[in-house]
Amino acid sequence: ILNRTRNSQRTTFLDIKAFHGNSGGPIVSLDSGLIIGILVGAVLDEAGGLTMMIPVRYLTELVEKFK
């Protein structure tokens, strides 16, 4: 998992493959079963992909900005 902060937006990059239509879906921890983030995009190629998510701890902050 790679964490990046850019222009005050927090995004985590995952080394998993996500497909078209998965955006907005939950990322679930296999250890705890808890939702740890929301999928927001992916860059894919034949070998795999790099998926972007917003961690749950930042979602409340993000939602408040758009109210």
Side-chain angles (χ1 to χ4, degrees), residues 36-49:
I36 59 171
I38 301 296
L39 189 108
V40 293
V43 178
L44 305 173
D45 64 18
E46 293 135 10

Side-chain angles (χ1 to χ4, degrees), residues 18-56:
F19 297 94
H20 179 73
N22 292 144
S23 292
I27 303 292
V28 179
S29 167
L30 294 177
D31 295 328
S32 67
L34 297 174
I35 295 172
I36 59 171
I38 301 296
L39 189 108
V40 293
V43 178
L44 305 173
D45 64 18
E46 293 135 10
L50 188 63
T51 300
M52 296 168 280
M53 77 166 194
I54 297 175
V56 167

Side-chain angles (χ1 to χ4, degrees), residues 1-35:
I1 297 176
L2 305 171
N3 290 311
R4 295 284 184 255
T5 301
R6 183 177 178 190
N7 299 329
S8 76
Q9 292 188 8
R10 295 164 183 94
T11 306
T12 300
F13 294 89
L14 306 169
D15 187 19
I16 62 171
K17 193 170 188 176
F19 297 94
H20 179 73
N22 292 144
S23 292
I27 303 292
V28 179
S29 167
L30 294 177
D31 295 328
S32 67
L34 297 174
I35 295 172

